[in-house]
Amino acid sequence: MAYSLTPLTQTSKTESAATEHPSGSLPVLLALLLGMGLLALGVILPLRALYFYQAFPGSRLEHWLLLPTHLLFPHQPLISPRHPLDAQALHNANAPLNWRDLLLFWGGLALICLLYLLALRALPSLISYRFILLSTTFLGFTLVLYPALTSQDVFSYITYARIGVIYHLNPLTTLPIAISRDPIYQYIFWTTQPSAYGPTWIACTSLLQWLALELHHNSVWGMVLLLRLFGLAMHLGATAMLWSCSGLALLPQEGPSSRLHLTRLTVTLALAWNPLLLLEACVNAHNDATILFLILLACWSLLHWRRSQWLPWLFAATLFLALAACLKITFIVIFPGLLLFLLAHDERRSLWQRLQLPATVLLVYIGSIVLLYWPFWHHGAVLRLLRVNPSASMARNTPYEFLVHLYATIAGIRLIQLDLNTGSYPEIVAHSIATLLFVLAYGGLCLYTLRRPASIRRLSALFGWMALAWLLFCFVGSTWFWPWYLVSWLGLSLLALVSDQSWQSLLHSRAFAITLALTAFCMLSIYAGYVWGMERTGLPFFPGLQ
């Protein structure tokens, strides 16, 4: 599609007017169509053969939300209120692979990703920032009322919040089995693992649990609703941060222009309407939406610091990155990029002078993490998580899992977990190999950047470095991968693209829109690998590979 652009000398007054009023009915029509596509997917997800989870178990709300699925699929079994692993039918070796339900699921995903692709190609020149916020809120509320979940992590979030707020125990060291009489216990899978998430997330979920108790609502489904609304708020916050960051990154380079305004709208819409980000934030309520918000808040602070050179902005960015690491400790891998950026900031000074600011930032970062973990330390018991976390020894949804199963099939051995939280011996070996490969790749990236400081001297390069570091961890360093892991990568990549003028033309290309739509479709399709029958259907000549 050819974009109609006004001259670059257009005044900011004209741009401001365009910001307030979207053109024509096409934006509203596409927003409604995308909302209808999301509703259609929400009707399909409760089909039991898809192996998903009830979102509001034990509530009348769930009954009403499931009515459309009952009407469209009469006599079809729907999701159980209990965890699918408790369903007797799931353990039936002859459970059929329901291709119709699987194709319906894929069709629903394809539909919303196609509408997303059309929106990225057709809408940026017709919409405003206000329209993006309002339409994203509409789409988010549509998803908040989904009767099904594609991941049961939200029940684990609630469990650890209840451990802290109701039972006054340490969520980072207490096993969920300690509250086995609590109503939430029947819906969780990881019953012998303390919280895999740090103090930042414990604070967020505990605050929501306290709010639910203050509202005299102690049910499980009430907390699911609150967490979904919180996820929507974080997604909207990330959208606002990306809009603000893109303005700070672009406007100092040139005066206000129609081209830069269109670039900002394109990248903001790409984040706001992304199906992967919407589903993970508003349906599964994954905390990666909060992580993305914190990281973009850190980038926003860095952009302010770069303009004013006022050190509190830099320390604020460091604190936000520490908060992200204290939500998921693996996000510590993006912080060294900031140190390398500060080292390359001004080569005219002596080495000692150049080291002072990075050293101060490092102390602030480490000190913030120590202070946040201190109340949960429990004489070092919090470190037990490093041993019992399934991602530390199991292989899921990665090339390492494929290689492990291929080896087991060729060798004719069975993969037997050492215990509920520890993978089999081949998986442990694969994890060690992944760790070694990541150390080599990540070390090479850091060494390359250190030897070529010009490669990270701009903030756009720093944002790109962070995105690449996280991508390396996901696909090289981790044997455990799920779709929501790419939420932060998408946000950082979009910010890096919009901040670098040499790449801005890419934002208006077909390749950009198609890549984002295909990424969302492929990541969400991972859930299709867990339908009944699929995970017990062997490949020809390799019956051990599902």
Side-chain angles (χ1 to χ4, degrees), residues 111-392:
L111 174 62
I112 61 175
C113 290
L114 177 60
L115 289 170
Y116 173 65
L117 173 62
L118 292 175
L120 287 183
R121 293 295 302 145
L123 294 190
S125 60
L126 303 175
I127 59 175
S128 66
Y129 171 59
R130 177 181 294 179
F131 172 81
I132 292 176
L133 287 182
L134 291 176
S135 60
T136 304
T137 303
F138 159 69
L139 297 174
F141 274 113
T142 302
L143 294 168
V144 163
L145 294 177
Y146 264 28
L149 298 158
T150 56
S151 165
Q152 55 91 54
D153 281 358
V154 66
F155 296 126
S156 293
Y157 301 161
I158 299 170
T159 300
Y160 301 124
R162 294 173 76 88
I163 286 175
V165 175
I166 297 178
Y167 297 96
H168 307 293
L169 299 172
N170 186 348
L172 299 187
T173 58
T174 303
L175 306 185
I177 200 171
I179 61 166
S180 58
R181 296 183 180 274
D182 192 275
I184 189 63
Y185 187 77
Q186 61 183 314
Y187 304 117
I188 61 175
F189 179 73
W190 303 106
T191 58
T192 57
Q193 177 191 313
S195 174
Y197 313 104
T200 305
W201 189 238
I202 295 301
C204 294
T205 54
S206 296
L207 181 61
L208 292 175
Q209 181 64 69
W210 173 84
L211 177 61
L213 294 177
E214 287 295 307
L215 296 174
H216 306 287
H217 211 298
N218 194 30
S219 65
V220 171
W221 72 267
M223 270 296 289
V224 173
L225 186 60
L226 281 176
L227 280 165
R228 282 182 165 185
L229 290 172
F230 182 75
L232 172 58
M234 290 295 100
H235 181 67
L236 290 172
T239 301
M241 278 295 102
L242 185 60
W243 172 261
S244 182
C245 286
S246 61
L248 290 169
L250 293 176
L251 292 182
Q253 301 172 14
E254 297 183 21
S257 71
S258 172
R259 182 174 66 85
L260 295 184
H261 183 61
L262 181 61
T263 298
R264 293 181 69 191
L265 288 171
T266 302
V267 74
T268 305
L269 180 67
L271 180 81
W273 280 23
N274 188 281
L276 173 63
L277 273 61
L278 280 169
L279 282 161
E280 297 303 349
C282 305
V283 176
N284 295 325
H286 274 124
N287 51 30
D288 291 76
T290 305
I291 294 174
L292 176 59
F293 174 70
L294 290 171
I295 291 175
L296 290 180
L297 202 55
C299 296
W300 179 78
S301 301
L302 286 173
L303 285 163
H304 275 286
W305 170 72
R306 191 62 184 264
R307 293 180 67 183
S308 66
Q309 295 296 311
W310 195 43
L311 281 179
W313 283 117
L314 179 59
F315 296 145
T318 305
L319 177 60
F320 292 134
L321 290 177
L323 286 171
C326 286
L327 201 158
K328 276 188 181 179
I329 196 62
T330 47
F331 276 89
I332 202 171
V333 301
I334 70 173
F335 174 72
L338 177 57
L339 300 180
L340 292 168
F341 168 78
L342 294 175
L343 281 173
H345 187 55
D346 190 353
E347 287 192 310
R348 292 172 297 180
R349 297 181 298 172
S350 66
L351 179 61
W352 172 248
Q353 290 176 322
R354 288 164 54 199
L355 285 174
Q356 287 179 354
L357 187 57
T360 305
V361 167
L362 180 61
L363 287 175
V364 172
Y365 185 75
I366 295 175
S368 301
I369 292 177
V370 170
L371 287 176
L372 287 167
Y373 267 97
W374 186 260
F376 304 93
W377 186 247
H378 201 182
H379 308 292
V382 71
L383 297 177
R384 179 175 181 270
L385 181 63
L386 299 176
R387 301 194 306 272
V388 300
N389 192 332
S391 63

Side-chain angles (χ1 to χ4, degrees), residues 22 65 69 72 124 199 204-205 210 246 313 342 359 384 409 416 418 423 497 546:
L65 293 176
T69 309
L72 290 175
C204 294
T205 54
W210 173 84
S246 61
W313 283 117
L342 294 175
R384 179 175 181 270
T409 301
I416 301 175
L418 301 184
L497 283 176
Q546 284 76 34

